[in-house]
Amino acid sequence: MGYAEALGKAWEDLLLLKPPSSLTVKFLADEYSLDLAAKRVLSLSCNAPVKDSLSILILHYSARNLRGLPVLSGQWVTFRQISGIQGYYPAYYSRTIAPVIRKYGRNPQAILGILDRLPASSVEGADVSVVIEAFNAVPLLIKLWKPDTEFGPEANLYFDASIKDIFCLEDIVVLAQLVVGQL
């Protein structure tokens, strides 16, 4: 399914829920307005339409939010635990985990710089760990391990287990890519 078709379906699914005429969604450090009449998602910080991939993600989240978000489970799971698709993991890794290692692997403490500009907090775990609130009730945990004499730097992304009740697998990949892109 191409972006145009997926976007059309996402709007259709949302509009079937009869959302309020004014709908805004916070994603990371920005807020977005859904123009239901024009079927556009606008960034409120720059008053411009957003890319289709982010629009689809916001629309899917908004629809799920209108139906009711699941309660956070408190259980962190990896992409492998969610997907069960071993063949796709290398692509996921190269788009999400590898960029984190490239940017912060030699200096994991540097990731704490995001605390000033993203809705994030430092938590215990690994050498450095942060939880980023991508959407309301959609946290992502990033763990980083410093290199040592035997191993290079490592990182992993974790999702609350409830994410599979909010997003499909493709949306989870896009979500992780968008979050990592903001680091």
Side-chain angles (χ1 to χ4, degrees):
M1 184 183 306
Y3 278 138
E5 191 176 341
L7 195 54
K9 174 127 176 54
W11 275 111
E12 184 180 304
D13 292 346
L14 179 66
L15 293 172
L16 283 174
L17 296 171
K18 306 222 184 307
S21 59
S22 176
L23 197 58
T24 59
V25 174
K26 187 168 183 194
F27 176 67
L28 294 175
D30 203 353
E31 201 163 359
Y32 299 87
S33 172
L34 283 71
D35 183 340
L36 303 177
K39 293 185 179 177
R40 287 188 313 178
V41 178
L42 300 170
S43 166
L44 291 178
S45 65
C46 58
N47 198 31
V50 300
K51 292 182 179 181
D52 288 348
S53 57
L54 178 54
S55 291
I56 293 166
L57 194 66
I58 288 172
L59 292 169
H60 287 169
Y61 173 81
S62 297
R64 184 60 174 115
N65 190 28
L66 286 170
R67 289 190 309 270
L69 292 171
V71 175
L72 290 172
S73 72
Q75 177 187 359
W76 293 108
V77 294
T78 64
F79 179 76
R80 280 185 169 158
Q81 291 171 303
I82 296 168
S83 74
I85 304 171
Q86 294 303 318
Y88 188 71
Y89 185 76
Y92 169 81
Y93 181 91
S94 70
R95 293 177 185 175
T96 60
I97 297 171
V100 173
I101 293 171
R102 276 194 303 277
K103 187 165 186 176
Y104 298 108
R106 298 287 171 203
N107 182 12
Q109 292 291 328
I111 199 169
L112 297 176
I114 70 166
L115 300 180
D116 294 334
R117 57 185 175 77
L118 293 177
S121 59
S122 176
V123 295
E124 294 293 317
D127 289 319
V128 179
S129 296
V130 294
V131 172
I132 300 168
E133 189 83 7
F135 288 103
N136 178 45
V138 181
L140 273 78
L141 169 64
I142 299 175
K143 290 185 177 186
L144 292 148
W145 292 269
K146 298 178 207 171
D148 61 24
T149 55
E150 292 182 50
F151 300 102
E154 287 294 329
N156 209 341
L157 275 70
Y158 298 84
F159 308 90
D160 186 89
S162 65
I163 198 165
K164 63 185 177 288
D165 298 323
I166 301 171
F167 293 117
C168 66
L169 193 59
E170 293 83 6
D171 285 348
I172 294 170
V173 172
V174 171
L175 175 70
Q177 283 182 265
L178 291 171
V179 169
V180 166
Q182 293 291 312
L183 300 178

